[in-house]
Amino acid sequence: VVVNHVEMDHTGALPEVMEVAKPEKLFCSPKGKENLLKHFHRDDWPYEVVKTGDRLSLGGRTVTFIETRMLHWPDSMFSYLMEDRLLISQDAFGQHWATSGRFDDEVDRGELMQQAAKYYANILLPYSNLVQKLLGDLGEMGLEPEIIAPDHGLSWRKDPGMILEAYGRWSQQRAKPKVVVVYDTMWHSTERMAQAIAEGLAREGVEYLVMDLKVSHRSDVVTELLEAKALLVGSPTFNNGMLPTVADFLHYLKGLRPRGKIGAAFGSYGWSGESVKLINAELEAMKVDLVDEGISVKFAPSGDDLKRCRELGQRVGRTVKETL
Ligand SMILES: Cc1cc2nc3c(=O)[nH]c(=O)nc-3n(C[C@H](O)[C@H](O)[C@H](O)COP(=O)(O)O)c2cc1C
């Protein structure tokens, strides 16, 4: 039995498997052994600790192990079947996608890449430096997989190079001229500001998306942000803070450590008006380069206020085009 990753969605059934298979050996990385013991408390299992480059001959086939620490757990590793050039990549290159297809050539390519991007943005983004190093290591080891089989979603057999190339791009956090406007609102004032900003972006002809956190899940917003250059965040002031949905989104995004983005905040308020300042602080904490001090509007936006929002959209649109 080979354990490439100790997380419960991969090992939940391990005690039963061990019981039925009664394997001679249980292969895992050094951290894998440590973490298996912390999950299952079975020091009677026949652990065989392997490191990068170790090989296991199965007779007709040889498995090479490659440790992939912190991608995305300390214990993670790949197993590579050399004769078949089959890379069993555990969580890397995967998608949280349940479909009747099993391989990349059986499904719509655009949907597959969107699902793979969603997986990367939500799980692997914080470890982008390690992804880059791993891609380099795979090249140095001369591994050229013909099939990449992740533990979630579909396997890549038609064009494994496509997902390797995408991981190269995503791990460099390379952006395109795209802007995401994300907001929540109670009485639609902040929403009208978001729409005016979008009008400005449209005038500049950049790709943009307006996402209302009441209907867009945070995981979908960060997926759209993966290749976006700019992020504009809006919230009304709510009990001297921002709306909980916006706070939730910013907290989630900060943990994913996005890099190289520009941004600004906007929002309506009634009397104290803290939201824009608080959003600015959150954006700065995640190293977003603020292109504006942000737009605060008391209650419903006037024609002039909406004009300022359109101008902000245009300025962001121009900056995005200039910097890329
Ligand atoms: C429950 C509640 C709490 C609020 N708390 C504040 C506050 O602490 N400070 C403030 O300036 N405005 C506060 N407001 C006023 C809103 O910020 C204001 O109505 C704003 O225009 C709403 O923007 P929206 O239309 O985008 O929801 C509060 C409103 C509600 C309903």
Side-chain angles (χ1 to χ4, degrees), residues 45 63 108 122 173 232 304 307 323-324:
W45 282 350
V63 186
D108 178 77
N122 284 276
Q173 303 215 28
L232 298 164
D304 260 4
K307 185 164 167 268
T323 51
L324 292 170

Side-chain angles (χ1 to χ4, degrees), residues 108-119:
D108 178 77
R109 196 60 68 91
E111 176 67 16
L112 176 62
M113 289 314 287
Q114 179 72 7
Q115 293 289 345
K118 183 170 185 176
Y119 191 90

Side-chain angles (χ1 to χ4, degrees), residues 184-193 235-241 243 267-274 297-300:
D184 197 358
T185 189
M186 295 181 288
W187 302 112
H188 303 288
S189 290
T190 305
E191 183 170 61
R192 288 174 62 206
M193 295 172 77
S235 171
T237 297
F238 176 79
N239 296 338
N240 303 110
L243 280 177
S268 171
Y269 70 98
W271 46 96
S272 55
E274 289 91 343
V297 167
K298 186 159 182 168
F299 288 121

Side-chain angles (χ1 to χ4, degrees), residues 45-180:
W45 282 350
Y47 301 99
E48 182 82 15
V49 169
V50 289
K51 296 186 174 162
T52 294
D54 284 355
R55 289 184 179 187
L56 162 67
S57 173
L58 300 173
R61 287 193 166 67
T62 317
V63 186
T64 300
F65 299 105
I66 303 150
E67 290 170 82
T68 59
R69 277 179 220 174
M70 287 320 296
L71 288 176
H72 68 120
W73 272 26
D75 48 72
S76 301
M77 68 174 189
F78 289 173
S79 299
Y80 185 63
L81 263 70
M82 298 176 70
E83 292 78 2
D84 302 301
R85 291 170 55 195
L86 166 63
L87 182 67
I88 301 168
S89 62
Q90 43 94 21
D91 277 350
F93 313 118
Q95 324 94 46
H96 282 146
W97 194 23
T99 167
S100 55
R102 292 288 171 269
F103 293 94
D104 53 353
D105 49 87
E106 294 172 342
V107 296
D108 178 77
R109 196 60 68 91
E111 176 67 16
L112 176 62
M113 289 314 287
Q114 179 72 7
Q115 293 289 345
K118 183 170 185 176
Y119 191 90
Y120 189 92
N122 284 276
I123 307 285
L124 293 175
L125 189 65
Y127 310 113
S128 286
N129 289 344
L130 294 174
V131 171
Q132 273 185 45
K133 186 175 175 311
L134 174 69
L135 293 174
D137 289 350
L138 292 181
E140 271 173 33
M141 292 172 82
L143 303 191
E144 284 178 12
E146 228 167 59
I147 302 178
I148 298 178
D151 289 0
H152 300 284
L154 288 84
S155 295
W156 308 83
R157 71 176 172 191
K158 180 154 194 276
D159 189 4
M162 192 167 76
I163 189 65
L164 291 170
E165 187 275 327
Y167 267 50
R169 198 160 17 96
W170 295 333
S171 60
Q172 285 171 32
Q173 303 215 28
R174 235 186 284 155
K176 56 183 183 181
K178 173 179 173 184
V179 182
V180 174

Side-chain angles (χ1 to χ4, degrees), residues 26-46:
L26 190 167
F27 294 90
C28 57
S29 67
K31 280 279 173 200
K33 179 177 177 186
E34 219 177 291
N35 289 350
L36 282 171
L37 284 165
K38 286 289 176 196
H39 277 75
F40 301 104
H41 310 284
R42 293 291 300 262
D43 49 17
D44 57 325
W45 282 350

